[in-house]
Amino acid sequence: MSLPLPSRPPLWSFPLLLLSATSSAQAASIDQATEALIAPVASLFSSLIFFSLPLFGAELPLVVLWLVAGAVFCTVYFNFINVRGLGHAFKLVRGDYAHPGDQGEVSHFQALATAVSGTVGIGNIGGVAIAISLGGPGVLFWMVLAGFLGMSTKFVECALATHYRRQNADGSVSGGPMFYLARGLAERGLPRLGRALGRFYAVGIVIGCLGIGNMFQSNQAFMQFVNVTGGAEVSWFADKGWLFGLIMAALIGIVIIGGIKSIARVTEKVVPVMALLYCSMALLVLAMNAEAIPYAIGAIFQGAFTAEGVAGGTLGAIIIGFQRAVFSNEAGIGSSAIAHAAVRTRQPMTEGYVSLLEPLVDTIIICSLTGLVIVTTLYYDPAFTNGSGGIEMTSRAFERNVAWFPLPLSVAALLFAFSTAISWSYYGLKGWSYLFGEGRLGRNLFKLLFCGFVVIGSMIQLQSMLDLSDALVFVICVPNILGIYLLAPVIKRELKRYHRKLASGEITDYRTRTARPMPSTSATAAPSDRAKP
């Protein structure tokens, strides 16, 4: 995508240029002052939100239990839609039922790419390694199972977001948990509760996006970039986080200034590239480790049910696996439903089906490949997971087979961080607009704020701010899952209606209709046919 160069720097860049003048010593002092201010608050929130119950020697976080319970409910209540709906999901993404005149802003594939870019991030590379180092190979089994269950949660929340989305005066659409909580609960006679939960969700997504979807991504991307360019002792960039952040913020700003359409045009190109790059590397490593694959599969299944050396044994492995999965694909948090709600469709159920593919790609495919690379490496080096964690461990696993693989892995990590940030900017923007209105000035102010935090994230270590944002991101799963329980009958009713339309032909399969030979008649198609979604 080519963009004209501005004749002068855009107005929003001047605060970022001011940030670039901050020295590393000043950054450190800001770091310390901010930590002292935020740390007590972050510690309190984290202890409340991630409160754990001791259970058979393991610690069970209640927020994870809440998310998993919601996933099990959605899977059972919708009769394993995560299995039955996959075929139809692929048809929708392929464009079989797409009509360019439908209400919305992006295609099914663009909506999926934007949502996937928001979930496929640094955690898919480094988070899996941490989970395996803590719980052993068996956590991978439970991670995949949690991803499978999470597909059903995604179906419900994305169908709800599209069903209750709002048409704006400028032709754009806005949707997400804040809208279906407010509008859906109002339909059920709970307008005050709905409005309160909607506002609470919006506040959480705004603050959370500045941490987990912004500063964490830019900070981890900078650290990986420094490692690739020589490390903290050698790299010229080691003390120039401001420069890296400024460049990253400028690139992000160019994309997000155009809204969801601009974001979708980028993600539909970046997501396939980064996914293919990473998966190809992982598959090549697994091919080179072919003799270790039987060992890896055995270790995964054996560790899933007889975990040793893990607090709580098998239960500990289950908790770590489920926790890593829900942290990765965000099923139940409702964030990606904001992107899915922007789709062009007249049938909200279509986006529920499309969203099934998100945990499939994020957790079942990408996280599984990462886990297999690490577990096969354990076959050759049983002590491999000792002494390092996160993306460093994953990088060493790739490097063991191909010495130069850390370089493309870093490229993939940078793409993951960049794409996650632009998607989360949209999530935060919709939360901001829900609270303060859809005015252009307010939207641009938020985009400026978001770009500023990208620079801050690269410059200083705000661990407490990240802890606080993580806590706020995960606490919003409480109203979201509650909304899913209360509004699931609405989706079940709409799903039955949707299938009746499919069976009767009222919903047109444009691929089949195009492939079918046209009758030899001069008559044009009936208006009713053209109007069918």
Side-chain angles (χ1 to χ4, degrees):
M1 179 178 63
S2 61
L3 294 169
L5 292 174
S7 57
R8 60 180 180 176
L11 183 61
W12 57 264
S13 68
F14 286 106
L16 303 184
L17 292 173
L18 291 176
L19 283 171
S20 69
T22 305
S23 67
S24 58
Q26 290 172 320
S29 64
I30 295 173
D31 186 350
Q32 294 170 2
T34 307
E35 284 290 305
L37 179 65
I38 299 178
V41 180
S43 177
L44 176 62
F45 269 81
S46 295
S47 62
L48 292 174
I49 294 166
F50 295 111
F51 178 77
S52 299
L53 289 177
L55 188 64
F56 300 111
E59 294 292 324
L60 177 61
L62 293 185
V63 69
V64 175
L65 179 62
W66 179 249
L67 286 164
V68 173
V72 172
F73 166 78
C74 292
T75 301
V76 175
Y77 188 76
F78 288 93
N79 195 23
F80 288 85
I81 191 72
N82 47 355
V83 177
R84 297 185 299 107
L86 276 178
H88 190 57
F90 282 111
K91 291 181 180 179
L92 287 164
V93 170
R94 192 172 61 184
D96 289 13
Y97 300 91
H99 190 285
D102 288 345
Q103 175 185 330
E105 299 182 79
V106 297
S107 68
H108 285 298
F109 178 75
Q110 288 176 324
L112 177 64
T114 302
V116 168
S117 72
T119 57
V120 176
I122 298 294
N124 297 78
I125 301 178
V128 177
I130 294 173
I132 293 175
S133 66
L134 292 174
V139 302
L140 194 59
F141 174 87
W142 300 111
M143 192 183 305
V144 171
L145 178 60
F148 170 73
L149 296 173
M151 292 167 66
S152 303
T153 312
K154 288 280 185 178
F155 172 86
V156 181
E157 60 190 12
C158 292
L160 281 170
T162 312
H163 181 72
Y164 286 106
R165 65 183 178 178
R166 182 181 68 193
Q167 179 78 35
N168 300 319
D170 61 359
S172 64
V173 294
S174 297
M178 49 276 193
F179 291 95
Y180 63 69
L181 286 169
R183 302 176 73 176
L185 294 186
E187 288 182 358
R188 298 186 67 86
L190 300 168
R192 290 186 179 179
L193 177 63
R195 286 194 299 269
L197 293 180
R199 291 193 188 101
F200 178 78
Y201 187 94
V203 170
I205 200 72
V206 168
I207 298 177
C209 85
L210 297 175
I212 192 173
N214 184 318
M215 289 196 300
F216 175 74
Q217 301 300 325
S218 62
N219 183 271
Q220 292 296 299
F222 173 63
M223 292 177 63
Q224 184 66 11
F225 184 73
V226 168
N227 288 336
V228 168
T229 54
E233 302 297 327
V234 178
S235 175
W236 182 80
F237 292 95
D239 61 347
K240 296 176 177 62
W242 61 267
L243 177 60
F244 179 89
L246 193 61
I247 295 172
M248 188 171 179
L251 293 173
I252 290 173
I254 290 171
V255 175
I256 69 176
I257 198 70
I260 184 61
K261 292 182 180 179
S262 176
I263 293 171
R265 284 195 297 269
V266 173
T267 56
E268 73 173 339
K269 297 177 179 64
V270 171
V271 168
V273 169
M274 70 183 190
L276 286 173
L277 172 64
Y278 184 76
C279 292
S280 298
M281 292 168 53
L283 289 171
L284 179 58
V285 169
L286 291 176
M288 298 174 73
N289 293 348
E291 64 174 348
I293 291 178
Y295 158 82
I297 294 174
I300 289 168
F301 279 94
Q302 181 178 359
F305 300 100
T306 59
E308 297 178 1
V310 183
T314 299
L315 182 60
I318 294 173
I319 292 171
I320 294 171
F322 273 63
Q323 181 169 303
R324 180 64 256 161
V326 298
F327 282 19
S328 175
N329 60 49
E330 299 161 18
I333 294 174
S335 53
S336 59
I338 300 172
H340 284 284
V343 71
R344 286 192 298 268
T345 185
R346 298 183 191 180
Q347 305 296 335
M349 294 306 103
T350 59
E351 204 55 24
Y353 277 106
V354 169
S355 68
L356 291 172
L357 301 177
E358 194 182 327
L360 177 68
V361 172
D362 174 273
T363 306
I364 297 178
I365 295 178
I366 295 181
C367 287
S368 293
L369 287 175
T370 304
L372 283 171
V373 167
I374 292 170
V375 178
T376 54
T377 304
L378 284 170
Y379 174 78
Y380 302 99
D381 182 6
F384 174 72
T385 56
N386 298 332
S388 66
I391 195 170
E392 179 187 354
M393 184 192 300
T394 308
S395 182
R396 288 199 299 115
F398 278 89
E399 187 179 13
R400 197 196 71 83
N401 291 92
V402 182
W404 51 268
F405 260 12
L407 181 59
L409 180 65
S410 297
V411 173
L414 291 173
L415 289 174
F416 284 172
F418 175 76
S419 64
T420 297
I422 62 176
S423 294
W424 272 85
S425 74
Y426 181 71
Y427 302 161
L429 175 62
K430 285 304 174 181
W432 178 278
S433 300
Y434 183 86
L435 294 169
F436 303 110
E438 294 282 349
R440 183 175 181 179
L441 178 62
R443 296 200 307 269
N444 288 336
L445 177 62
F446 174 81
K447 292 172 185 177
L448 171 63
L449 179 70
F450 190 88
C451 290
F453 270 82
V454 171
V455 182
I456 293 172
S458 300
M459 291 170 58
I460 56 181
Q461 301 286 336
L462 295 179
Q463 186 58 47
S464 294
M465 179 63 187
L466 293 176
D467 291 343
L468 179 61
S469 71
D470 285 351
L472 286 171
V473 163
F474 281 96
V475 77
I476 58 179
C477 78
V478 176
N480 186 52
I481 295 293
L482 179 61
I484 286 174
Y485 285 135
L486 294 174
L487 299 174
V490 175
I491 297 304
K492 176 165 277 194
R493 179 194 68 211
E494 293 299 320
L495 186 60
K496 291 178 180 178
R497 184 178 300 171
Y498 176 71
H499 281 292
R500 285 197 299 267
K501 291 180 179 179
L502 276 176
S504 67
E506 185 178 345
I507 297 177
T508 304
D509 184 339
Y510 291 99
R511 178 178 289 268
T512 302
R513 194 169 86 170
T514 302
R516 188 183 301 135
M518 297 296 293
S520 56
T521 175
S522 59
T524 58
S528 60
D529 288 336
R530 291 196 298 271
K532 289 177 182 177

